[in-house]
């Protein structure tokens, strides 16, 4: 079984699932942590090996399909192509680094914590890999449930309300998507849920408008796009740090991914019809979120709003339908995951050591924690999209595309970059430099594993920033499918 | 056919068993043996296509595969119900054997309904189900609420039975036969008499399944009856009513589908909205489950609206999903000291396995994927979409499903995210724990492989 190349996508799902279930039976916290690390690492390993095969035997696309509910035409279909490879790579890296960072005594009942985390990984990878709409929907929900429990059990004071809001929002979006899926399934004469079968449906324009609406609401809630973003700052603030990391680096990508994999190929008429108005709405949302971020005093809320702005920018890039902007968004999805992970990790370390997440109460940490502050500067510069960092590549291409489609919009959205510099640099200034606060006396510098994690993140930031070519090669096939109905 | 005879005989045996069996445990065991025997004989009939007792019913009763699968689902639910709630049945009233006997007589009625091919048999079956139920609703004689529930149920129930009889009479007057096939043949054109009869039957069936606007009896009756019988009423008996509803409207009135389908759509819509929205405001879990049963009835009404293959297959799956989950939650609820949501606080700490099983049941009721409830709802929605032109109904239904998450998850939040103020004295026997886990496993298995049931039909 392990020898067959075909099994790579399935392995990516089974490994975290197995790890998650096993973890519930490990009572010792340290053992639970190490087993979680082993399972996350082996996921990453499988993925790297699969890429190696893709290069050698020219297997760009690794597709499998297992019989599941053949009576209703649903197969357990999975695919590893450029798009899903980069997303699963991001997922694997994020989970591994999160497991490495968080000490095993951080949370009570650690074995359950790691178990649920791995189950969440399973759900997320499943969302990215599925080629069958029903399977996609199942994983879409399955990714949500463990995250809901993680956030509600180990989260902050107002966790129950915040996470429930998050759950209800997402659930409403996803049931609407289910209706659209069933509608298309019915149009295939109740024979198939496959992406390719849906692709060949030739829905009329008015049908596409409704279907697009149902899918888009689900994805827009997940991303989240203005004005459906209200669940996000609270959920990020109240969730335990590892969950926030997973939420903001991987889970919000589910929305963008859905846009690329499902909406773009399936509803070209609707996308062409609505993209201008949505672009304007998103541009407004981006500037709004950036402005709100400037006035945040809580680090977590600041990062949350900054994330809304950046995700919005990627969504804009995709909806311009320009090839350069779409590939920019593709690479930026990966980059944003890495950058925001670095930011959350720094916020986590600061809060764990000082117990404070309010910017105004922090200050002058750089003297006591020089190494941490260096990494912080790198992460922030990457978030601001400075040249030589990974984001520069992606956001430059996205803006290029927006500029091609509408100059005014590009200028307006460009404001968000300026604002982003304002709040990010302000944060550095107030947290690491300036007058020394009480918090500065308790803070300790990072060491050991933590330094290793940040070195890995920095390397990823710089490598993609300097030499993004391999990524673009990886995306070439996915790009074809996404834009095929728009090129005529 | 086997089920009718065995349940009737076992009911009588059960009544006399009180003389011979002294301990509650042996009575309980005797009842379980009876159910197992019924399951075995129904399975035999399903596999061989022939009943053990060959009785000429003049075509009044016929057992298709669909009917037998339905019967099996009901019997398995009853078995689970006996296992999970047995000790509560023992605790209610003085003579346990009588209560068990009444349940067996209800099963006789169910078996009659399962095979009805004539309106006469339908009426008979439904009455055989209802009358023992009135008694069960009032079986906690010292409790005033239980008495009230029984009286309310009896008055409203007999009134709706009257409506049904009237409807049957009108249809008989027009068509000249009680047989479904003859009615179907005579139902080419809509005459005033047929229309009136159909409406009366629609109203009385809506009453039996507690669909809005005929649902007003439900919360009070479900809340007042002893919890263990509420569980039976809201799952197994409700399934039977729906089965009768679907079969009747499919077989007898199928030709006039275009005429009555909008009416059913409106009933379904009203039921979904009223059930779900009212359930949100309930503080007692028992009352919440009563409204949730109305909400679930709204979903099942969608199958009556659509009456296509998906609807018929899906309805059986829905029965299984809904009954297993509800029986499980009720079984735990009936062991709690009171019925408030707070009594579930901290259950995950004190009884992790029970909490996990309740969790899975609630997720199934909410229709979360990988539980049986998801595919049940999926089939209902698909059936409506297949029927075409009623996408608004589907959209309302899924939004109601999202609303239902709100009240089901309040129990989950209590179990998992809140700590109980004081140590709850509720004890669960290992036997009960294993039964709950088994129930949860059944729900998950059906959630991954719904074709286990669907392939049988």
């Amino acid at each position: 079984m392990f020898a067959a190349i075909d099994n790579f996508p399935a392995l990516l799902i089974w490994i975290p699932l197995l790890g998650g279930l096993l973890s519930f039976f490990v009572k010792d916290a340290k053992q639970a942590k190490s087993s979680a690390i082993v399972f996350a690492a082996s996921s990453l390993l499988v993925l790297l090996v699969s890429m190696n095969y893709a290069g050698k035997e020219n297997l760009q696309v690794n597709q499998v399909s297992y019989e599941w509910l053949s009576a209703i035409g649903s197969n357990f279909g999975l695919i590893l192509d450029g798009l899903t490879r980069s997303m699963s790579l991001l997922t694997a890296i994020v989970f591994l680094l999160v497991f490495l960072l968080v000490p095993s005594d951080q949370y009570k009942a650690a074995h359950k914590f790691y178990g649920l985390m791995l189950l969440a990984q399973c759900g997320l990878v499943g969302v990215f890999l599925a080629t069958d709409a029903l399977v996609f929907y199942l994983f879409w929900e399955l990714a949500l449930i463990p995250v809901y429990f993680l956030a509600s059990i180990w989260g902050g004071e107002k966790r129950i309300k915040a996470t429930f809001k998050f759950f209800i929002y997402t659930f409403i979006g996803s049931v609407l998507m289910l209706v659209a899926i069933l509608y298309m399934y019915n149009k295939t004469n109740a024979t198939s849920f496959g992406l390719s079968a849906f692709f060949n449906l030739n829905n009329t324009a008015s049908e596409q408008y409704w279907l697009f609406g149902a899918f888009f609401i689900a994805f827009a809630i997940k991303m989240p796009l203005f004005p459906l973003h209200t669940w996000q700052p609270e959920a990020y603030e109240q969730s335990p740090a590892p969950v926030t990391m997973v939420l903001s680096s991987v889970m919000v990508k589910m929305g963008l991914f859905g846009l690329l994999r499902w909406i773009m190929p399936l509803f070209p008429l609707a996308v062409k019809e609505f993209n201008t108005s949505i672009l304007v709405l998103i541009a407004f949302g981006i500037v709004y979120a950036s402005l709100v971020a400037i006035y945040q005093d809580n680090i977590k809320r600041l990062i949350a709003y900054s994330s809304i702005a950046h995700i919005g920018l990627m969504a804009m890039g995709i909806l311009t339908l320009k090839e350069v902007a779409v590939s920019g968004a593709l690479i930026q999805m990966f980059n944003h995951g890495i950058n925001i992970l670095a930011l959350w990790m720094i916020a986590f370390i600061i809060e764990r050591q000082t117990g404070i997440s309010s910017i105004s109460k922090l200050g002058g940490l750089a003297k006591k924690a020089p190494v941490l502050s260096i990494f912080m500067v790198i992460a922030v510069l990457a978030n601001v999209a400075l040249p030589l960092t990974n984001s520069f590549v992606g956001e430059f291409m996205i803006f290029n595309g927006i500029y091609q489609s509408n100059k005014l919009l590009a200028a307006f959205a460009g404001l968000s970059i300026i604002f982003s510099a304002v709040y990010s640099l302000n944060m550095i200034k107030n947290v690491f430099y300036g007058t020394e606060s009480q918090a500065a006396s308790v803070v300790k510098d990072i060491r050991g594993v933590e330094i290793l994690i940040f070195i890995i993140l920095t390397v990823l930031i710089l490598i993609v920033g300097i030499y993004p070519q391999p990524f673009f090669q990886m995306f070439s096939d996915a790009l074809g499918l996404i834009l095929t109905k728009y090129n005529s | 056919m086997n089920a009718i005879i065995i349940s009737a005989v076992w009911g009588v045996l059960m009544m006399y068993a009180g003389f011979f069996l002294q301990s509650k445990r042996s009575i309980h065991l005797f009842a379980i043996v009876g159910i197992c025997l019924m399951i075995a004989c129904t399975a035999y009939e399903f596999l061989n296509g022939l009943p053990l007792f060959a009785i000429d019913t003049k075509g009044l009763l016929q057992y298709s595969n669909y009917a037998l699968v339905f019967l099996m689902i009901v019997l398995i639910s009853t078995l689970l119900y006996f296992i999970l709630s047995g000790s509560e049945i023992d605790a209610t009233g003085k003579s346990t054997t009588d209560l068990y006997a009444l349940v067996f007589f209800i099963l006789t009625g169910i078996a009659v309904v399962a095979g009805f091919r004539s309106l006469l048999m339908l009426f008979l079956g439904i009455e055989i189900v209802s009358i023992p139920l009135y008694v069960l609703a009032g079986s906690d004689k010292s409790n005033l609420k239980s008495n009230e529930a029984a009286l309310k149920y009896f008055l409203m129930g007999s009134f709706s039975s009257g409506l049904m009889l009237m409807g049957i009479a009108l249809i008989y007057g027009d068509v000249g036969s009680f047989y479904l096939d003859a009615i179907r043949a005579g139902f080419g054109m809509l005459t005033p008499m047929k229309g009136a009869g159909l409406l009366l039957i629609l109203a009385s069936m809506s009453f039996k399944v507690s669909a809005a606007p005929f649902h007003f009896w439900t919360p009070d009756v479900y809340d007042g009856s002893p919890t263990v019988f509420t569980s039976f009423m809201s799952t197994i008996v409700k399934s039977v009513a729906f089965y009768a509803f679907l079969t009747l409207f499919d077989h007898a009135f199928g030709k006039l589908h275009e005429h009555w389908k909008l009416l059913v759509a409106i009933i379904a819509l009203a039921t979904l909205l009223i059930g779900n929205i009212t359930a949100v405001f309930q503080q007692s879990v028992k009352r919440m489950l009563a409204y949730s049963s109305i909400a679930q009835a709204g979903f099942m009404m969608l199958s009556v609206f659509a009456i296509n293959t998906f609807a018929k297959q899906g309805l059986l799956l829905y029965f299984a999903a809904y009954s297993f989950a509800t029986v499980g939650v009720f079984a735990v609820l009936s062991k709690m000291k009171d019925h408030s949501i707070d009594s579930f606080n901290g259950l995950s700490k004190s009884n992790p396995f029970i909490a996990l099983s309740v969790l899975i049941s609630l997720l199934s009721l909410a229709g979360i994927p990988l539980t049986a409830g998801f595919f049940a709802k999926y089939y209902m929605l698909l059936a409506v979409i297949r029927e075409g032109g009623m996408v608004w109904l589907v959209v309302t239904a899924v939004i109601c499903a999202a609303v239902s998450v709100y009240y089901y998850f309040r129990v989950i939040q209590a179990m998992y995210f809140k700590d109980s103020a004081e140590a709850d004295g509720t004890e669960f026997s290992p036997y009960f724990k294993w039964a709950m886990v088994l129930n949860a496993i059944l729900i998950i298995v059906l959630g991954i492989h719904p074709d286990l049931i669907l392939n049988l039909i």
Side-chain angles (χ1 to χ4, degrees):
Chain A
M1 174 186 166
F2 288 91
I5 304 163
D6 290 327
N7 283 323
F8 285 131
L11 276 179
L12 287 177
I13 286 176
W14 291 122
I15 290 173
L17 179 66
L18 186 72
L21 293 178
L22 276 182
S23 182
F24 285 99
F25 298 99
V26 183
K27 290 290 174 198
D28 183 60
K30 279 194 180 143
Q31 280 176 18
K33 176 175 171 169
S34 24
S35 90
I37 290 174
V38 168
F39 278 103
S42 42
S43 272
L44 185 59
L45 195 68
V46 168
L47 201 63
L48 292 175
V49 172
S50 84
M51 284 182 178
N52 199 29
Y53 273 98
K56 268 184 190 157
E57 303 189 14
N58 205 18
L59 273 171
Q60 280 291 317
V61 178
N62 189 181
Q63 193 166 7
V64 286
S65 178
Y66 303 93
E67 205 159 285
W68 178 40
L69 292 170
S70 46
I72 64 172
S74 178
N75 285 313
F76 203 79
L78 306 171
I79 192 171
L80 256 180
D81 64 355
L83 173 59
T84 57
R85 223 167 237 143
S86 100
M87 283 294 94
S88 344
L89 189 62
L90 177 66
T91 315
I93 291 174
V94 167
F95 272 90
L96 181 59
L97 293 185
V98 168
F99 288 146
L100 282 172
L101 176 75
V102 180
S104 59
D105 55 355
Q106 179 83 15
Y107 298 105
K108 55 182 197 280
H111 59 291
K112 288 182 193 160
F113 181 83
Y114 288 111
L116 285 170
M117 284 292 272
L118 282 167
L119 291 182
Q121 187 185 1
C122 166
L124 285 165
V125 174
V127 168
F128 295 138
L129 297 183
T131 56
D132 182 285
L134 192 64
V135 176
F136 173 73
Y137 179 79
L138 295 185
F139 278 115
W140 181 274
E141 296 274 348
L142 285 190
L144 184 60
I145 303 267
V147 170
Y148 171 70
F149 275 89
L150 280 166
S152 300
I153 295 177
W154 289 279
E157 214 171 300
K158 287 180 248 159
R159 62 190 194 275
I160 295 181
K161 199 171 154 243
T163 50
F164 197 40
K165 190 171 168 188
F166 161 58
F167 189 90
I168 295 269
Y169 256 77
T170 326
F171 193 73
I172 290 177
S174 61
V175 288
L176 289 176
M177 182 169 79
L178 178 66
V179 175
I181 290 174
L182 289 179
Y183 186 86
M184 286 191 282
Y185 169 66
N186 183 44
K187 277 203 84 179
T188 65
N189 236 335
T191 51
S192 171
F193 278 102
L195 178 59
S196 48
F198 284 6
F199 189 75
N200 295 327
L201 271 181
N202 289 325
N203 289 309
T204 64
S206 66
E207 276 176 323
Q208 285 196 16
Y209 295 165
W210 289 107
L211 295 170
F212 169 81
F215 269 87
F216 190 74
I217 289 176
F219 297 154
I221 289 174
K222 205 80 183 189
M223 280 183 222
L225 292 183
F226 179 86
L228 300 169
H229 66 283
T230 51
W231 61 267
Q232 198 206 34
E234 276 176 63
Y236 281 13
E237 195 184 350
Q238 295 299 324
S239 299
V243 176
T244 311
M245 293 171 197
V246 168
L247 266 174
S248 62
S249 22
V250 189
M251 207 155 178
V252 293
K253 304 298 185 311
M254 279 161 70
L256 290 169
F257 172 85
L259 196 58
L260 289 164
R261 169 107 315 156
W262 297 92
I263 287 189
M264 296 283 284
L266 293 183
F267 318 119
L269 296 175
V271 172
K272 280 183 206 154
E273 176 74 20
F274 295 120
N275 72 338
T276 322
S277 34
I278 294 176
L279 278 177
V280 173
L281 188 70
I282 301 176
F284 176 76
I286 290 176
V287 174
Y288 164 80
S290 308
L291 279 173
V292 176
I294 293 178
Y295 290 98
Q296 293 303 316
D297 184 48
N298 186 312
I299 298 187
K300 293 181 185 175
R301 288 183 90 91
L302 189 148
I303 303 177
Y305 279 106
S306 136
S307 172
I308 296 177
H310 283 100
I311 295 279
L313 197 60
M314 288 174 237
M316 276 183 88
I318 295 168
L319 287 171
T320 57
L321 310 177
K322 301 276 184 276
E323 193 175 332
V324 53
V326 175
S327 35
L330 279 169
I331 196 165
Q332 188 58 13
M333 280 163 73
F334 182 83
N335 294 338
H336 174 261
I338 299 295
N339 297 346
I340 200 123
L341 179 67
L343 286 178
W344 282 119
M345 284 184 158
I346 291 162
F348 169 69
I349 290 173
I350 292 176
E351 199 191 351
R352 195 183 63 195
Q353 292 185 348
T354 66
I356 299 170
S357 59
S358 158
I359 295 177
S360 57
K361 286 185 190 153
L362 293 163
L365 300 192
K367 270 191 194 153
K368 282 285 182 68
V371 185
L372 182 64
S373 59
I374 290 172
F375 285 122
M376 174 72 160
V377 172
I378 295 172
V380 163
L381 293 183
N383 201 38
V384 187
L386 211 73
L388 283 191
T389 62
N390 53 2
S391 283
F392 176 72
V393 182
E395 295 202 345
F396 180 78
M397 292 171 77
I398 292 173
F399 269 106
N400 194 343
I402 301 175
Y403 185 79
Q404 281 176 29
S405 77
N406 190 331
K407 295 187 177 58
L408 226 91
L409 208 58
F412 189 60
L415 287 176
S416 76
I417 294 214
I418 301 171
F419 293 143
S420 150
V422 173
Y423 60 72
S424 306
L425 297 175
N426 241 335
M427 177 170 72
I428 293 200
K429 190 189 90 188
N430 291 334
V431 172
F432 283 94
Y433 304 100
T435 49
E436 229 169 275
S437 63
Q438 279 199 323
S441 54
V442 266
V443 83
K444 276 179 255 148
D445 209 353
I446 52 172
R447 34 167 194 233
V449 185
E450 291 168 342
I451 293 186
L452 177 73
I453 293 169
F454 282 109
I455 288 176
I456 294 174
L457 288 171
T458 311
V459 167
L460 282 168
I461 288 174
L462 292 178
I463 281 190
V464 182
I466 297 167
Y467 185 59
Q469 214 47 44
F471 270 89
F472 290 124
Q473 273 168 7
M474 195 161 83
F475 292 141
S476 57
D477 58 331
L479 211 56
L481 176 68
I482 294 164
L483 289 174
T484 157
K485 288 199 180 170
Y486 300 91
N487 285 338
S488 51
Chain B
M1 202 68 205
N2 292 337
I4 298 183
I5 292 165
I6 295 172
S7 59
V9 170
W10 212 267
V12 177
L13 283 180
M14 212 65 223
M15 280 164 68
Y16 288 103
F19 292 119
F20 309 107
L21 302 172
Q22 296 307 323
S23 77
K24 301 219 160 180
R25 178 175 284 250
S26 51
I27 295 170
H28 181 59
L29 210 62
F30 190 63
I32 287 181
V33 169
I35 288 285
C36 290
L37 190 67
M38 283 173 73
I39 292 176
C41 291
T42 312
Y44 174 84
E45 192 173 340
F46 177 74
L47 295 173
N48 286 13
L50 276 175
L52 291 170
F53 314 95
I55 297 167
D56 182 18
T57 57
K58 312 275 185 214
L60 288 172
L61 293 172
Q62 266 172 25
Y63 289 87
S64 59
N65 273 352
Y66 186 74
L68 290 172
V69 173
F70 162 72
L71 213 48
M72 294 277 281
I73 290 173
V74 167
L75 292 174
I76 290 171
S77 310
T78 315
L79 178 64
L80 276 172
Y81 165 76
F82 275 175
I83 294 174
L84 286 169
S85 303
S87 57
E88 261 59 46
I89 300 180
D90 298 343
T92 320
K94 276 185 183 154
S95 42
T96 316
T97 44
D98 290 359
L99 297 178
Y100 277 115
L102 287 171
V103 174
F104 274 100
F105 291 139
I106 292 176
L107 289 177
T108 314
I110 291 173
V112 172
V113 173
F116 82 97
R117 278 294 171 277
S118 141
L119 294 182
L120 221 52
M121 278 295 138
L122 171 69
F123 184 74
L124 214 64
I126 287 188
E127 285 305 288
I128 298 176
V129 173
S130 301
I131 292 169
L133 261 188
Y134 303 145
V135 183
L136 287 182
S139 56
D140 191 1
K141 281 180 215 156
S142 54
N143 185 344
L144 211 59
K145 274 185 119 184
S146 172
N147 287 321
E148 183 201 330
L151 187 66
K152 246 183 198 165
Y153 194 21
F154 172 68
L155 289 177
M156 300 292 275
S158 42
F159 184 67
S160 82
S161 296
L163 286 184
M164 180 188 271
L165 261 190
M166 187 68 194
I168 291 175
L170 286 172
I171 285 176
Y172 180 77
D174 194 283
V175 183
S177 171
F178 287 124
Y179 284 95
L180 298 190
D181 295 335
I183 295 172
R184 187 185 179 79
F187 252 61
M189 281 270 291
L190 190 65
T191 61
M193 211 144 110
K194 278 177 201 150
L198 204 154
L199 273 182
L200 285 171
I201 292 182
L202 180 65
S204 75
M205 288 312 295
S206 302
F207 174 90
K208 301 280 181 203
V209 299
S210 68
F214 308 97
H215 66 283
F216 290 100
W217 60 275
T218 320
D220 288 347
V221 171
Y222 283 9
D223 197 20
S225 307
T227 310
V228 25
F229 296 121
T230 309
S231 163
F232 189 72
M233 247 189 264
S234 67
T235 55
I236 291 147
V237 174
K238 182 167 274 194
S239 311
V240 178
F242 261 111
Y243 174 85
F245 205 160
L246 184 80
T247 316
L248 180 64
F249 276 67
D250 177 27
H251 277 259
F253 310 140
K255 274 190 190 168
L256 293 181
H257 187 201
E258 288 305 317
H259 290 275
W260 51 261
K261 82 184 211 186
L262 186 65
L263 210 57
V264 173
I266 292 168
I267 292 178
L269 187 72
T271 315
L272 279 167
L273 289 174
I274 290 174
N276 280 300
I277 293 171
T278 326
V280 167
F281 301 103
Q282 302 308 316
Q283 294 307 319
S284 135
V285 177
K286 194 174 174 186
R287 237 181 141 73
M288 182 273 276
L289 283 172
Y291 280 104
S292 124
S293 94
I294 298 177
Q296 303 279 354
F299 256 98
M300 292 189 240
M301 277 303 281
L302 297 181
S303 72
V304 180
F305 162 78
I307 54 162
N308 48 33
T309 333
F310 289 123
K312 286 182 223 165
Q313 289 185 335
L315 193 61
L316 289 194
L317 192 63
Y318 212 114
F319 291 158
Y322 171 66
S323 301
F324 294 167
T326 313
V327 163
V329 179
F330 264 119
V332 175
L333 180 69
S334 62
K335 291 199 178 351
M336 295 283 177
K337 260 183 267 168
D338 60 36
H339 297 145
S340 68
I341 292 182
D342 290 338
S343 61
F344 280 86
N345 282 358
L347 191 68
S348 70
K349 301 234 168 50
S350 53
N351 286 293
F353 281 106
I354 303 274
L356 186 67
S357 312
V358 174
L359 169 71
I360 289 170
S361 299
L362 288 169
L363 291 181
S364 176
L365 286 173
I368 304 287
L370 288 201
T371 59
F374 169 72
F375 274 109
K377 287 202 165 69
Y378 159 93
Y379 267 92
M380 294 297 114
L381 299 175
L382 189 58
V384 179
I385 288 180
R386 192 89 181 131
E387 199 53 28
M390 288 277 188
V391 177
W392 56 269
L393 188 59
V394 185
V395 172
T396 323
V398 294
I399 292 193
C400 285
V403 173
S404 79
V405 166
Y406 182 83
Y407 51 85
Y408 292 128
F409 270 56
R410 279 173 68 197
V411 180
I412 296 178
Q413 287 169 352
M415 288 193 303
Y416 279 87
F417 314 140
K418 289 181 184 161
D419 294 321
S420 74
E422 61 204 270
D424 196 307
T426 321
E427 289 284 326
F428 298 99
S429 66
Y431 170 67
F432 181 75
K433 275 183 201 164
W434 282 112
M436 280 299 285
V437 171
L438 177 77
N439 192 18
I441 290 173
L442 264 179
I443 292 173
I444 296 274
V445 167
L446 277 183
I448 297 173
H449 271 289
D451 34 4
L452 286 179
I453 286 186
L454 301 172
N455 285 349
L456 292 177
I457 306 160

